[in-house]
Amino acid sequence: MASASSSSLTRHWKYDVFLSFNSEDRSFASELYDALAKEGIKICRDDDIVPDKETALSSKIFTAIENSRFSVIILSEKYAFSHWCLEKLAKIVERQNEIGQTILPVFLDVYRSEVLNQTGKFGEAFELQVEYFEENLEVVQKLRAALIEISNIPGWTLHHAAESEVLQVIEDIVNVISNKSFPPFSIGGLIGMVSRVSEITSYLRIGGTDVLMIGICGMSGIGKTTIARVVYDRFSDQFEGCSFLANVGEVAQRCSLHSLQEKLLSDIIERDIRISDIQRGVNVIKNLLHSRRILLVLDGVSQLDQLAMLAGDCDWFGPGSRIIITTVAMDLLTRHGVYRIYISKPLNKDEALSLFSLKCFVSGPPSRDYVEMLNDFLYYAAGLPLVIEVLGSFLFNRNITEWKNTLDKLQACHGPSVLNILQIIFDGLDETEKEVFLDIACFFNGEDKDRVVEILEFLYTGFELRNLIDKSLVRVSSNNQLWMHDQLQLLGKAIVKEAKEPGKRSRLWMHEDIDNVLRENTCGNNLRVIKLSHSRNLVRTPDFTGITNLERINLEGCTNLIEVHPSIGLLKRLTLLNLKDCKGLRILPHKIGMESLEILILSGCSKVKKIPEFAENMQRLQKLYLDGTAINFLPPSIEHLNGLTSLNLRHCKNLQFLPSFLHNLKSLTELSPPGIAEPETNLISLENKELLSVHGTEVMEKEGRMSLHKKEIETVPSQTKEGQMKSKLKKNVGDPIQPHTPVAVSTSGTSNVEPILLGSSEVAVLVEPVMVEPVTILRSRIDGSQPINEEEIEILRQTDGQQFLERTCPKRSIERTLTTILGYMSDVKARRVGVYGSGGIGKTSVLKALINCPTTKDLFDVVIWVTVSRNWSTRKIQDKVLQQLSLSPGDFKTDFELAEELFQALRSQRFLLLLDDVWEWIDLNAVGIPDPTYENGCRMILATRSPDVCHIMVADRKVQVEGLLLEEAWELFREQVGGIIDSPNIFPYAQAIVKKCHGLPLLIIVTGRALAKENDALNWMRASRKFLWLSAHGIYGFEGLIQQLKFSYDRLESPELKSCFLYCVLFPEDYEVGILKLVEYWIEEGLVAGNWTDSYKRGCDIVNILVEASLLQKLEGGLSIKMHDLIRDLALGILSLETEGCQFLLGSYSRMTQLSHMGNSSYFRPIVSFKSNQPLILEDHQFLSRAGAGLTELPLKEKWEEAKMIFLMDNELSSLPDSPSCPKLLALFLQRNQKLRVIPTSFFDLMPSLTVLNLSKTRIKSLPKSLCKLMSLEVLILRDCERLVLLPSEVGSLRRLEVLDLQGTEINKLPNKISELSSLIYLKVSFYGSVNWSEYAKLPHELVSRGIIANLVELETLSIDVYPGDRRWNKNVKSVIDEVGNLTNLTTFCCYFPEVEFLERFLATSLSWKIGGLTEFKFVVGHDVKRFVSKVVDNLAFDNVLWDQCLRFVNGEVIPDAAVEVLTRTTAFYLDHHINVCSLSEFGVKNLDGLRLCVVRECPKIETIIAGKELSEAVFPILEHLSINYLSNLSTILEGIIPPGSFAKLRILTVHTCPKLQFVFASSMLHFFSNLEELIVEDCPAITEIIYQDLVVDSGGGTLPSLKKLKLHYLPRLVNIMKGKWPPLENISFYDCPILKKLGIDFIASHTIKGIKAENDWWKELEWQDTSFHLRLQAHFTPICDDDL
């Protein structure tokens, strides 16, 4: 179909269709005309306009063509006989691009190729026109071009077609035109809409750059949704993205808010997006939409949190965005800060009369009797469109008596409400109509219409839904969804809820009601329908004994359902049982006798091995779906199913044969067989009956067994409602058959019966001889030659589609290659085109340009894109093709079965297959791709680095992608770097670099980005020398390219960035990893340090840095990243050359160890320079990387044998192979495979070179003894293996081991053999403990045997984590301390000192401490106990703190000198439950100078934090965070005179549960806290004000000038926060501050605040001196929730 330009959206068309045909084809044209006219489509017929005698084509025809939105051209053999038809055709084709017209061709009894090439009878007719215009060759050329172009436009082919096929084509044409001519909710058919839309349009200010939220408010039924929909349809094409979220309130209640977030993002980003939780959805919306100009409609909003989570603030969206909100609640809009509100008005009298008449008086004006009552009905309708429309539809075609009865009922209501009126309408429905109405209201509102019809058609007649639509009670949306107005739905649910007890209701839809009813069995006999589809927590069904009236049970997708209760087989009224895709289902009743059952669905129940026996009373069962089950046989009782018409056995791989008793199923007409190998013979006798239609198979003639006397039989696929491909028997002669009519096959008088083969088996179905019913074959040949002329290519350059071009390749370069490819498309012999060129040259960009080319869209029905990559497989390619064809995933199918399915789906389509990144030969037949041929018009284009691949893939033509011209390369480079390269000092070096990039776009961009911020000419000179050095030393080709790309890696500013970049290469080559998941991986590996909040933010920043450097690519939508294959080669080369493959993953360990087998790491030396002549690329087979790929099974053993490094972290592996042979393996990473429980006994037998083993966060309980075989092992990481309780003594044989990480394990005791690890430099261990005293008797008496630590003389890092209060450690600690004291290399030590004496002993004996070599420590001093509830927030918990020097002093009574000595070297200090200290000043203010974090909690005598008596030096000069918790006697934070410079760096102050504290700051002290950014005060009942105005004169430092966040919770006596100037706060939170009535916020603060949270009632009752502040702040207010407390 020719694509229409944007002008077609705004142009005013006089006609919808211009119909062009030869007069001899009037029969088909008349049928089409009648069908179009019936739909109200304006048509201009070819013969309606008489041409002038003087000219070949009259001006009238020109005008008609130019004023028609569509042209339908009926091309037949006779069409070319008329030069008049051909000239009009040429004019239509000529003008289509100028006026935006769409052409729809119909090839009637003529092949497309005959029109294209002017051959056959059509060609003979055309030759007559050539003779007619023999003196004007330009006209002939023009006509030929028009015929070629019309042949390349998708359309319909009817060649001696059956009547049913003709009608189908006519219906298709009508649908295409109707959908474009009459968009949903078009303004033309809506009464009173013009003025309303005009008014709200003035609110929108379309075209402005500000972001506006506009509300549409009014009562239900007044037309808010309709207005919003019309505005949306009218302006959506003027925005970069748009989304209409209907019924927001209902969907949020029924599903969740994050499902609405997913739809919003998917609509605008135009790809499927999944959101794990609501808050993450908020972040994703902000990140993805903050720069997009969007139109968003939130329809039917009912709660403020819905707005907060979907459109929390204007700054979420890009400039010019418009957000329209419809609601019945005005206050909801104002509370969200929406002040541009349109109040929906009811229809006036004339408008109401017009709408009522439109629905009620279809056939003409009413009689006077009706008119007299009309005003009364309109009075009660009160101008509400919903009520008027429903009333009018209800009264349509009713007599005067029925009108009077209805009016009497309305008058009896005494001022009827909307629901009263709708109730009267409901009462007037038939009983079955009522049932369908209630079904839709409770279950199916918003569901797909066809799916609902399929469910309902076996319960009702099928007319009820149509009647409800006719009566305006239900609508069908443009995307085929059923839509019921919320007031009608409310009515339906209210009717069902008239039974107060849920168990007595006819329908249940709320999960809690269903759960209670089924658990308590209180539903009795009222319940008719159970719909619990996709309930993942459902494991077993309830007992159905007391629910005998059930008619439908839908449990589809309940993947954890194991058992169906036997009582289900006793449900006599059940008509539908849907257990589709219950993949865990194993147990079904032994026998069922549901006499009313019509449909039983077990599709995809892959663990069902046996189906129930069928009772004799089950004769109503019509459809039985067993496809994808594990059944071995069909029960003999299946012959009781006399009413069975359809049996689906596809993919029943365990089914051994089809039983012979199937022949007793007299009604069976559809069988989908499993493709079994050896079925029984004489399966089905069809004597004197219809042929069995076999799904998904072909009817074939068995050689030598059957003669059909040259009657052709073929398989013609057609799509059924179920989405399955069926085969039909067709013949060349005879009368046409009707759709879905079973046909019979005869042997034309042959007396001997021979089998017809169904499926792949030798004999599957035997067909008895019956009479022949002649049938017709429809062959639709699509010729493949589509010439492209220069004019079309020029048009291509002008299209908007070119804007997609990636910045990795300028347009001109792409156009040159694209022109060549398009030229080959006109070559009938060029069915396969190979595009080759070096990596980074722009091959992928060329293919993307080809996709977006209008010519491509016109030539092909479908375009398929597959990125193949090195690690391709047939199944991977099949999965990608299935996804793009919108076919079901092939989870339960073999490659062969998928190939068959794909072949059937593609054989009748004209497709373009694009294969990117091809490395070797691919058997496309095995994939299921039909060969591109001249006849089918299909083509394949592949992109590869090697021309040899083009050859082995049998490419008919090859296209080499050339590099950029020098001026293009310079332009691209300058675009990356900026104007700085124009500097005379930099220009010559930049020019030299660009020349050495040899026109490769990727290299130019990556290099340019690496130098973008460089303004030092010296560094430019060094960069140019590196590029020049390569060629000077003969390093060219691929290795030279990788070395050049490495320049950008070397320019990364930190090892952190480099490590994160290299980590990305560990994912499979074609893997797209989510950004949020990637950051989590980085944090887990320790590549990004800090607490979770800070490290998460830093990780996101790193992603942006790497993307900006073009070392990573963000995919469409911005939620995922991947690596360009050439950048991946760079990373692989770095891993090989620099051993970063292991070293960068060792995190903190890498500072300790340099792996002997792998050389030195870049952490210890500069990155290897370009002077190295080592080969840079690591061979692919040496590098097995499948990180985060969701693997449940390991790669093949063969892949292990050659691998040097294996990265399988973050998968779902549950088992490992026995004795894998890995002679070259150096590193094995299996961390975070949380299903891995057991390591096979012989797993390590054949890994002699293994150097690094990481099994952290697996669920292993022990290690096998074969661990001793790892004689080369240097790093063993078992961190957070929470079930690991035993370390085998064989660990002592690992003499090269340098790193042993047992932190987070449950080790009972450190094995004595550890002492033999003489090379160990890093040891962390966590010991198991318990609060159960009796359990200690079962544990070893000591944790660390004497002498173990003393023998580990090389130790640099030692961490011993002991269960708090473990008495065994008290006995052990002295000997351990003595041994640690002799470790001269110790730099890091973490230890628990239960008594101060032990700390004193350590300080006195440790040489490392004395000489200052111990640079990192974490000490707990004092008797500690296990706390099950932390009294500090998580990021302040001692275990989580990240400072290098930490001291926690717990349960002290005095201040010992040893603690003070440690305090002088400490950066993070925790004072926990000290009994006697009254102030931190007692520790000596000078000793606190080095603190950056200080946490004080549960010290009962502390009255002030700092007592300022006789202080001469600053207090806490570099402290950043002070946390005060549970100080029962604290009365003031500071006391006395504090010296200048105190608290100069303090950013965060938190105060929790200090009952005597009356204020936080005195005004005279504020100047000390000039850098305070965050203040949190909670649960301090005595506080009356935050800043106390003391008598001392303020120094004038301002009121906390840096404060951004203020949180005040549980302050019952708080009266005032502060007086005077407010700080520039951004976020404020209040809770339980009942006396605080005034905030005192000033003008400046009211403009800086971005968010306020508090109780709703408290906020409403606040007093405001300036109400404008309240209105401004209301937009930022959000009610506080539990998560905020």
Side-chain angles (χ1 to χ4, degrees), residues 74 216 505 560 573 591 663 762 814 916 979 1006 1149 1213 1268 1310 1365 1427 1448 1655:
I74 304 171
I216 301 178
R505 296 172 186 164
N560 291 317
R573 297 188 179 183
K591 186 175 183 179
H663 75 274
E762 181 178 344
I814 290 180
D916 191 24
V1006 170
Y1149 317 115
L1213 301 176
C1268 65
L1310 205 61
R1427 291 178 179 269
R1448 178 169 171 246
E1655 305 109 308

Side-chain angles (χ1 to χ4, degrees), residues 1226-1377:
L1226 300 176
L1228 176 59
F1229 292 88
L1230 291 166
Q1231 60 266 37
R1232 296 185 297 281
N1233 279 282
Q1234 299 190 13
K1235 294 185 178 180
L1236 184 61
R1237 291 179 170 83
V1238 178
I1239 308 293
T1241 304
S1242 58
F1243 179 70
F1244 298 119
D1245 281 352
L1246 303 175
M1247 299 182 183
S1249 302
L1250 190 65
T1251 305
V1252 177
L1253 174 62
N1254 192 336
L1255 291 165
S1256 60
K1257 275 201 174 179
T1258 58
R1259 305 186 74 182
I1260 59 173
K1261 294 183 178 180
S1262 62
L1263 290 170
K1265 293 184 178 181
S1266 61
L1267 183 71
C1268 65
K1269 303 285 185 68
L1270 303 179
M1271 302 307 295
S1272 300
L1273 196 66
E1274 298 179 11
V1275 178
L1276 176 58
I1277 305 172
L1278 299 166
R1279 192 181 187 93
D1280 294 323
C1281 292
E1282 296 176 348
R1283 300 195 173 194
L1284 183 64
V1285 297
L1286 180 64
L1287 196 64
S1289 59
E1290 284 76 10
V1291 71
S1293 61
L1294 305 178
R1295 300 303 170 85
R1296 290 187 176 181
L1297 195 66
E1298 298 182 6
V1299 172
L1300 177 59
D1301 191 345
L1302 298 169
Q1303 191 167 12
T1305 64
E1306 296 275 327
I1307 296 293
N1308 289 329
K1309 184 180 185 296
L1310 205 61
N1312 292 339
K1313 289 288 186 178
I1314 291 286
S1315 64
E1316 299 179 13
L1317 301 178
S1318 57
S1319 299
L1320 199 65
I1321 61 176
Y1322 183 106
L1323 173 62
K1324 286 191 175 183
V1325 59
S1326 297
F1327 290 106
Y1328 173 76
S1330 174
V1331 294
N1332 187 345
W1333 296 105
S1334 63
E1335 192 172 351
Y1336 276 108
K1338 304 175 184 178
L1339 298 175
H1341 296 304
E1342 59 180 0
L1343 301 175
V1344 184
S1345 298
R1346 186 180 298 272
I1348 291 180
I1349 302 298
N1351 287 333
L1352 304 178
V1353 294
E1354 299 295 330
L1355 270 183
E1356 297 178 14
T1357 294
L1358 175 61
S1359 173
I1360 302 175
D1361 187 9
V1362 180
Y1363 193 86
D1366 192 331
R1367 292 172 294 176
R1368 296 175 299 163
W1369 179 243
N1370 292 355
K1371 301 175 183 178
N1372 242 170
V1373 62
K1374 181 178 178 181
S1375 63
V1376 170
I1377 287 173

Side-chain angles (χ1 to χ4, degrees), residues 1123-1137:
M1123 267 186 172
H1124 189 283
D1125 57 351
L1126 198 59
I1127 300 296
R1128 180 181 174 83
D1129 288 336
L1130 164 68
L1132 288 172
I1134 294 171
L1135 296 187
S1136 173
L1137 181 63

Side-chain angles (χ1 to χ4, degrees), residues 1151 1387-1391 1402 1408-1409 1412-1421 1438 1440-1449 1459-1470 1487-1495 1518-1519:
R1151 190 175 60 83
T1387 59
T1388 301
F1389 183 40
C1390 301
C1391 186
F1402 170 76
S1408 292
W1409 177 264
L1414 195 65
T1415 56
E1416 296 181 17
F1417 59 83
K1418 184 181 283 188
F1419 294 161
V1420 177
V1421 180
F1438 188 71
N1440 298 335
V1441 77
L1442 295 170
W1443 298 103
D1444 292 338
Q1445 300 89 25
C1446 305
L1447 170 64
R1448 178 169 171 246
F1449 187 26
V1460 173
E1461 182 180 346
V1462 175
L1463 183 60
T1464 60
R1465 301 189 191 182
T1466 296
T1467 54
F1469 178 40
Y1470 285 66
N1487 297 325
L1488 307 175
D1489 281 357
L1491 294 185
R1492 295 181 180 275
L1493 168 67
C1494 183
V1495 178
I1518 63 171
L1519 188 71

Side-chain angles (χ1 to χ4, degrees), residues 1052 1057 1098 1100-1111:
L1052 293 176
L1057 284 171
R1098 174 58 180 161
C1100 293
D1101 290 342
I1102 290 174
V1103 171
N1104 292 331
I1105 291 171
L1106 295 176
V1107 169
E1108 182 63 27
S1110 288
L1111 295 175

Side-chain angles (χ1 to χ4, degrees), residues 996-1016:
K996 289 302 176 182
C997 287
H998 302 296
L1000 287 175
L1002 180 63
L1003 178 57
I1004 293 168
I1005 286 179
V1006 170
T1007 306
R1009 297 281 177 89
L1011 291 165
K1013 298 179 181 179
E1014 185 58 69
N1015 55 12
D1016 188 339

Side-chain angles (χ1 to χ4, degrees), residues 197 322 614 722 730 879 1007 1011 1066 1105 1298 1425 1610:
V197 170
R322 298 293 181 265
F614 299 100
E722 294 83 358
K730 296 264 185 181
D879 288 343
T1007 306
L1011 291 165
L1066 304 184
I1105 291 171
E1298 298 182 6
V1425 294
Y1610 304 104

